[in-house]
Amino acid sequence: FSPSVIPPPEAGTLSGTTTICETGSTTLSSNGQTGGTWSSSNTAVATVNTSGVVYKVGPGTTNITYTVNATTPCTGLDVASATGTVVDAANSGTDGSTTGCETSTATIDLFSLITGEQTGGSWTRHSGTGGTFDAAAGTFTPSAGATPSTFQYVVTGTSPCVDDISSVTVTISPPPNAGSNGALDICAGSSVTAAQLFSALNGAPDAGGTWSPALAGAGTYNYTVTAAGCSDATASVTVTEQAQPNAGSNGTMTICAGTTVTSAKLLSS
């Protein structure tokens, strides 16, 4: 008879990365006996599968254990453990955009253009020139000559999480130009056209504006030009009706041979 010697349970020591980002996972291993079971003391933070792969659930800490039970006739068990930490992923929010007017003095709040961001990040200007950028306040004020600009909000990740970046694009519109007021004469009974009104404006108005009210005869017509982010520009044309010319109706006249007709005689005929 040769007795079999069964070793006592040995869970060994756990190794592997125990701190993971909220967007990742990690694998733990043991140098002890195989066939043990893995468990997490706080499944609201992380879960672990039968292979020791730890999956994040939410930020916090949990105790990851590897348990080896004794083989009959031995009794008892051995446990190896490690503290697993899930770190919040950095979140700079979603990207945003807006349009500002080159001549506007209104300050653009960059924070209002991104959503869901964590506090404590920092603003930088990624592209564009001109205007006034306040990185500390997260604001931008356009000015004449400012170019379209991109601003980035960076939230620094806590290791092992990486930084997160969101972007705000600010498009700069030149102010609209409707020209200056003008005047136009038309014949009584006729209707004015948009082309006639546009030609009657003074200055250098932008094309593509709209006229109001509906075009008809004499009256004042307003020309409005819009540009995203800017106030509308308006100029008007005053239209005056002139009476239709009247040449009368055909007539006849008899003169003596050899005489010359005059304008007065023709008109009286």
Side-chain angles (χ1 to χ4, degrees), residues 101 175-178 210 223-235:
C101 193
N177 181 8
T210 58
Y223 182 64
T224 302
V225 181
T226 62
C230 299
S231 299
D232 296 347
T234 303

Side-chain angles (χ1 to χ4, degrees), residues 75-98:
T75 60
L77 52 82
D78 191 37
V79 177
S81 66
T83 299
T85 302
V86 177
V87 179
D88 256 333
N91 182 7
S92 62
T94 56
D95 296 347
S97 63
T98 191

Side-chain angles (χ1 to χ4, degrees), residues 14-266:
L14 301 187
S15 61
T17 301
T18 55
T19 300
I20 60 175
C21 190
E22 197 180 7
T23 58
S25 62
T26 188
T27 301
L28 299 181
S29 62
S30 168
N31 60 1
Q33 296 168 351
T34 60
T37 57
W38 292 91
S39 63
S40 169
S41 65
N42 189 351
T43 54
V45 172
T47 60
V48 58
N49 69 8
T50 57
S51 299
V53 180
V54 180
Y55 298 96
K56 63 85 183 176
V57 177
T61 59
T62 182
N63 197 38
I64 304 297
T65 58
Y66 178 67
T67 303
V68 177
N69 290 303
T71 302
T72 305
C74 297
T75 60
L77 52 82
D78 191 37
V79 177
S81 66
T83 299
T85 302
V86 177
V87 179
D88 256 333
N91 182 7
S92 62
T94 56
D95 296 347
S97 63
T98 191
T99 300
C101 193
E102 188 181 44
T103 56
S104 173
T105 58
T107 297
I108 298 170
D109 180 6
L110 300 176
F111 277 110
S112 70
L113 301 173
I114 57 177
T115 55
E117 76 281 0
Q118 295 170 345
T119 59
S122 59
W123 285 98
T124 60
R125 188 173 193 165
H126 183 66
S127 66
T129 59
T132 302
F133 169 54
D134 187 333
T139 60
F140 175 66
T141 305
S143 65
T147 63
S149 301
T150 300
F151 303 90
Q152 293 185 331
Y153 181 65
V154 182
V155 176
T156 302
T158 300
S159 181
C161 298
V162 298
D163 298 348
D164 194 45
I165 301 174
S166 61
S167 296
V168 171
T169 301
V170 178
T171 302
I172 305 297
S173 294
N177 181 8
S180 56
N181 297 343
L184 176 66
D185 291 332
I186 60 173
C187 285
S190 63
S191 295
V192 72
T193 66
Q196 288 175 313
L197 291 172
F198 189 82
S199 296
L201 288 169
N202 294 307
D206 297 333
T210 58
W211 288 98
S212 63
L215 304 189
T220 299
Y221 297 92
N222 299 313
Y223 182 64
T224 302
V225 181
T226 62
C230 299
S231 299
D232 296 347
T234 303
S236 63
V237 173
T238 301
V239 177
T240 304
E241 287 186 341
Q242 300 294 329
Q244 292 276 6
N246 182 7
S249 56
N250 296 341
T252 60
M253 179 181 178
T254 302
I255 61 173
C256 290
T259 62
T260 300
V261 71
T262 64
S263 299
K265 289 180 179 179
L266 288 172

